[in-house]
Coordinates of all heavy atoms in Angstrom, one line a residue:
A10 N 20.4 15.5 -11.6 CA 20.0 14.1 -12.0 C 19.7 14.0 -13.6 O 19.3 15.1 -14.1 CB 18.9 13.5 -11.3
R11 N 20.0 12.9 -14.1 CA 19.5 12.6 -15.5 C 18.1 12.0 -15.2 O 18.0 10.8 -15.0 CB 20.3 11.7 -16.2 CG 19.9 11.3 -17.5 CD 20.8 10.2 -18.2 NE 20.3 9.6 -19.4 CZ 20.7 8.6 -20.0 NH1 21.8 8.0 -19.6 NH2 20.2 8.1 -21.1
V12 N 17.0 12.8 -15.2 CA 15.7 12.3 -14.9 C 15.0 11.6 -16.1 O 14.9 12.2 -17.2 CB 14.8 13.5 -14.4 CG1 13.4 12.9 -14.1 CG2 15.4 14.2 -13.3
V13 N 14.7 10.3 -16.1 CA 14.2 9.6 -17.2 C 12.8 9.1 -16.9 O 12.5 8.6 -15.9 CB 15.1 8.2 -17.4 CG1 14.5 7.4 -18.5 CG2 16.5 8.6 -17.7
R14 N 11.9 9.5 -17.9 CA 10.5 9.2 -17.8 C 10.2 8.3 -19.1 O 11.1 8.2 -19.9 CB 9.7 10.4 -17.8 CG 10.1 11.5 -16.8 CD 9.1 12.5 -16.6 NE 8.3 13.0 -17.8 CZ 7.3 13.8 -17.7 NH1 6.9 14.3 -16.6 NH2 6.6 14.2 -18.8
R15 N 9.0 7.8 -19.1 CA 8.6 7.0 -20.2 C 8.6 7.8 -21.5 O 8.8 7.3 -22.6 CB 7.2 6.5 -19.9 CG 6.6 5.6 -21.0 CD 5.4 6.4 -21.7 NE 4.8 5.6 -22.7 CZ 3.9 6.0 -23.5 NH1 3.4 7.3 -23.4 NH2 3.3 5.3 -24.4
D16 N 8.4 9.1 -21.4 CA 8.2 10.0 -22.6 C 9.4 10.9 -22.8 O 9.4 11.8 -23.6 CB 7.0 10.8 -22.5 CG 6.9 11.7 -21.2 OD1 7.9 11.6 -20.3 OD2 6.0 12.4 -21.1
G17 N 10.6 10.5 -22.2 CA 11.8 11.3 -22.5 C 12.5 11.5 -21.2 O 12.3 10.9 -20.2
E18 N 13.5 12.5 -21.3 CA 14.3 12.8 -20.1 C 14.8 14.2 -20.1 O 14.6 14.9 -21.1 CB 15.5 11.9 -20.1 CG 16.4 11.9 -21.3 CD 17.6 10.9 -21.2 OE1 17.4 9.7 -21.5 OE2 18.7 11.4 -20.9
Y19 N 15.2 14.7 -18.9 CA 15.7 16.1 -18.8 C 16.8 16.0 -17.7 O 16.8 15.2 -16.9 CB 14.7 17.0 -18.5 CG 14.0 16.8 -17.1 CD1 14.4 17.5 -16.0 CD2 12.9 16.0 -17.0 CE1 13.9 17.4 -14.7 CE2 12.3 15.8 -15.7 CZ 12.8 16.5 -14.7 OH 12.2 16.3 -13.4
H20 N 17.7 17.0 -17.7 CA 18.6 17.2 -16.6 C 18.0 18.1 -15.6 O 17.6 19.2 -15.9 CB 20.0 17.8 -17.1 CG 21.0 17.8 -16.0 ND1 21.8 16.7 -15.7 CD2 21.3 18.8 -15.1 CE1 22.6 17.0 -14.6 NE2 22.3 18.3 -14.3
G21 N 18.1 17.7 -14.3 CA 17.5 18.5 -13.2 C 17.1 17.6 -12.1 O 17.9 16.9 -11.6
G22 N 15.9 17.9 -11.6 CA 15.5 17.1 -10.5 C 14.0 17.2 -10.1 O 13.2 17.6 -10.9
V23 N 13.8 16.8 -8.9 CA 12.3 16.9 -8.3 C 12.3 17.4 -6.9 O 13.3 17.3 -6.3 CB 11.7 15.5 -8.4 CG1 11.6 14.9 -9.8 CG2 12.4 14.5 -7.4
A24 N 11.2 18.0 -6.6 CA 11.0 18.5 -5.2 C 9.7 17.6 -4.7 O 8.8 17.4 -5.4 CB 10.7 20.0 -5.1
V25 N 9.9 17.3 -3.4 CA 8.9 16.4 -2.7 C 8.3 17.0 -1.5 O 9.1 17.6 -0.6 CB 9.5 15.0 -2.5 CG1 8.5 14.1 -1.7 CG2 10.0 14.3 -3.8
K26 N 7.0 17.0 -1.4 CA 6.4 17.4 0.0 C 5.3 16.5 0.3 O 4.5 16.1 -0.7 CB 6.0 18.9 -0.1 CG 5.6 19.4 1.3 CD 5.3 20.9 1.2 CE 4.9 21.5 2.5 NZ 5.9 21.4 3.6
D27 N 5.3 16.1 1.5 CA 4.1 15.2 2.0 C 3.9 14.0 1.2 O 2.8 13.5 0.9 CB 2.8 16.0 2.1 CG 2.8 17.1 3.1 OD1 3.6 17.0 4.0 OD2 2.2 18.1 2.9
G28 N 5.0 13.4 0.7 CA 5.1 12.1 0.0 C 4.7 12.3 -1.6 O 4.7 11.3 -2.3
K29 N 4.5 13.5 -2.0 CA 4.1 13.6 -3.4 C 5.2 14.6 -4.1 O 5.8 15.4 -3.5 CB 2.8 14.4 -3.5 CG 1.5 13.7 -2.9 CD 1.0 12.7 -3.9 CE -0.3 12.1 -3.3 NZ -0.8 11.0 -4.2
I30 N 5.2 14.4 -5.4 CA 6.1 15.3 -6.2 C 5.4 16.6 -6.4 O 4.3 16.7 -6.9 CB 6.4 14.7 -7.6 CG1 7.2 13.4 -7.4 CG2 7.2 15.7 -8.4 CD1 7.4 12.6 -8.6
V31 N 6.1 17.7 -6.0 CA 5.4 19.0 -6.1 C 6.0 19.9 -7.2 O 5.4 21.0 -7.6 CB 5.4 19.8 -4.7 CG1 4.5 19.0 -3.7 CG2 6.8 19.9 -4.2
L32 N 7.2 19.5 -7.7 CA 7.8 20.3 -8.7 C 8.8 19.4 -9.4 O 9.6 18.6 -8.9 CB 8.6 21.5 -8.1 CG 9.0 22.6 -9.1 CD1 7.8 23.3 -9.6 CD2 9.9 23.6 -8.4
T33 N 8.9 19.6 -10.7 CA 10.0 18.9 -11.6 C 10.6 20.0 -12.4 O 9.9 20.9 -12.8 CB 9.4 17.8 -12.4 OG1 8.6 18.4 -13.4 CG2 8.6 16.8 -11.6
G34 N 11.9 19.9 -12.6 CA 12.5 20.9 -13.6 C 13.9 21.0 -13.4 O 14.6 20.1 -12.9
S35 N 14.5 22.1 -13.9 CA 16.0 22.3 -13.8 C 16.4 22.6 -12.4 O 15.6 22.8 -11.5 CB 16.3 23.6 -14.7 OG 15.8 24.7 -14.1
D36 N 17.7 22.4 -12.1 CA 18.2 22.5 -10.8 C 17.9 23.9 -10.2 O 17.5 24.1 -9.1 CB 19.7 22.4 -10.8 CG 20.1 20.9 -11.0 OD1 19.3 20.0 -10.7 OD2 21.3 20.6 -11.5
E37 N 17.9 24.9 -11.1 CA 17.8 26.3 -10.7 C 16.3 26.6 -10.1 O 16.0 27.4 -9.4 CB 18.1 27.3 -11.8 CG 19.5 27.3 -12.3 CD 19.8 26.0 -13.2 OE1 18.9 25.7 -14.0 OE2 20.9 25.6 -13.0
S38 N 15.3 25.8 -10.8 CA 14.0 25.9 -10.3 C 13.5 25.3 -9.1 O 12.4 25.5 -8.6 CB 13.1 25.5 -11.6 OG 13.1 24.0 -11.7
L39 N 14.4 24.4 -8.6 CA 14.1 23.6 -7.4 C 14.2 24.4 -6.1 O 15.1 25.2 -5.9 CB 14.9 22.4 -7.3 CG 14.7 21.4 -8.5 CD1 15.8 20.3 -8.4 CD2 13.3 20.8 -8.6
P40 N 13.2 24.3 -5.1 CA 13.2 25.1 -3.9 C 14.1 24.5 -2.8 O 14.7 23.5 -3.0 CB 11.7 24.9 -3.5 CG 11.3 23.6 -4.0 CD 12.0 23.4 -5.3
D41 N 14.2 25.2 -1.8 CA 14.9 24.7 -0.6 C 14.2 23.5 0.0 O 13.0 23.3 -0.2 CB 15.0 25.7 0.5 CG 15.9 26.9 0.1 OD1 16.8 26.6 -0.8 OD2 15.7 28.0 0.7
A42 N 14.9 22.7 0.6 CA 14.2 21.4 1.2 C 15.0 21.1 2.5 O 16.1 21.4 2.8 CB 14.4 20.2 0.2
T43 N 14.2 20.3 3.3 CA 14.8 19.7 4.6 C 16.1 18.9 4.2 O 17.1 18.9 5.0 CB 13.7 19.0 5.4 OG1 12.6 19.8 5.6 CG2 14.3 18.5 6.7
R44 N 16.0 18.1 3.2 CA 17.1 17.3 2.8 C 17.3 17.5 1.2 O 16.4 17.3 0.5 CB 16.9 15.8 3.1 CG 18.1 15.0 2.6 CD 18.1 13.5 3.0 NE 19.3 12.9 2.5 CZ 19.4 11.6 2.6 NH1 18.5 10.7 3.0 NH2 20.6 11.0 2.2
T45 N 18.5 17.9 0.8 CA 18.8 18.0 -0.6 C 19.8 17.0 -1.0 O 20.9 16.8 -0.3 CB 19.3 19.4 -1.0 OG1 18.2 20.4 -0.6 CG2 19.6 19.5 -2.5
I46 N 19.6 16.2 -2.1 CA 20.4 15.1 -2.5 C 21.0 15.5 -3.8 O 20.3 15.8 -4.8 CB 19.7 13.8 -2.5 CG1 19.3 13.3 -1.2 CG2 20.6 12.7 -3.2 CD1 18.3 12.2 -1.1
D47 N 22.3 15.5 -4.0 CA 22.9 15.8 -5.3 C 23.2 14.4 -5.9 O 23.9 13.5 -5.5 CB 24.4 16.4 -5.0 CG 25.0 16.8 -6.4 OD1 24.6 16.2 -7.5 OD2 26.1 17.4 -6.3
A48 N 22.4 14.2 -7.1 CA 22.5 12.9 -7.8 C 23.8 12.7 -8.5 O 24.0 11.6 -9.0 CB 21.3 12.8 -8.7
E49 N 24.6 13.7 -8.6 CA 25.9 13.7 -9.3 C 25.8 13.1 -10.7 O 26.6 12.3 -11.2 CB 26.9 12.8 -8.5 CG 27.1 13.4 -7.1 CD 28.0 12.5 -6.2 OE1 28.2 11.3 -6.6 OE2 28.4 13.0 -5.2
G50 N 24.7 13.5 -11.4 CA 24.5 13.2 -12.8 C 24.0 11.7 -13.0 O 23.8 11.4 -14.2
R51 N 23.7 11.1 -12.0 CA 23.1 9.7 -12.1 C 21.7 9.7 -12.6 O 21.0 10.7 -12.6 CB 23.3 8.8 -10.8 CG 24.8 8.5 -10.6 CD 25.0 7.9 -9.3 NE 24.7 8.8 -8.1 CZ 25.1 8.5 -6.9 NH1 25.9 7.5 -6.6 NH2 24.8 9.4 -5.9
V52 N 21.2 8.5 -12.9 CA 19.8 8.5 -13.5 C 18.7 8.3 -12.4 O 18.9 7.5 -11.5 CB 19.7 7.2 -14.4 CG1 18.3 6.9 -14.7 CG2 20.5 7.4 -15.6
L53 N 17.8 9.2 -12.5 CA 16.6 9.1 -11.6 C 15.4 8.6 -12.3 O 15.0 9.3 -13.3 CB 16.3 10.5 -11.0 CG 15.3 10.6 -9.9 CD1 15.7 9.9 -8.6 CD2 14.9 12.0 -9.6
M54 N 14.9 7.6 -12.0 CA 13.7 6.9 -12.6 C 12.5 6.8 -11.7 O 12.7 6.8 -10.4 CB 14.1 5.5 -13.2 CG 15.3 5.4 -14.0 SD 16.0 3.8 -14.2 CE 14.8 3.0 -15.1
P55 N 11.3 6.5 -12.2 CA 10.2 6.2 -11.3 C 10.5 4.9 -10.6 O 11.2 4.0 -11.2 CB 9.0 6.1 -12.3 CG 9.4 6.7 -13.5 CD 10.9 6.6 -13.6
G56 N 10.1 4.7 -9.4 CA 10.3 3.5 -8.7 C 9.6 2.4 -9.4 O 8.7 2.6 -10.1
L57 N 10.2 1.2 -9.3 CA 9.6 0.0 -10.0 C 8.3 -0.4 -9.3 O 8.2 -0.4 -8.1 CB 10.6 -1.2 -9.9 CG 11.7 -1.2 -11.0 CD1 12.7 0.0 -10.8 CD2 12.5 -2.5 -10.9
I58 N 7.3 -0.8 -10.1 CA 6.1 -1.5 -9.7 C 6.3 -2.9 -10.1 O 6.3 -3.2 -11.3 CB 4.9 -0.9 -10.3 CG1 4.8 0.7 -9.9 CG2 3.6 -1.6 -9.9 CD1 3.7 1.4 -10.7

Side-chain angles (χ1 to χ4, degrees):
R11 178 186 170 190
V12 183
V13 178
R14 313 192 322 172
R15 177 252 183 183
D16 55 356
E18 58 181 79
Y19 67 91
H20 185 87
V23 300
V25 177
K26 190 170 179 63
D27 298 328
K29 300 273 188 187
I30 297 171
V31 292
L32 193 68
T33 66
S35 64
D36 290 336
E37 299 74 39
S38 68
L39 298 171
D41 290 337
T43 304
R44 181 178 182 188
T45 299
I46 294 165
D47 183 349
E49 300 174 350
R51 290 175 293 200
V52 168
L53 187 68
M54 304 162 72
L57 277 62
I58 298 169

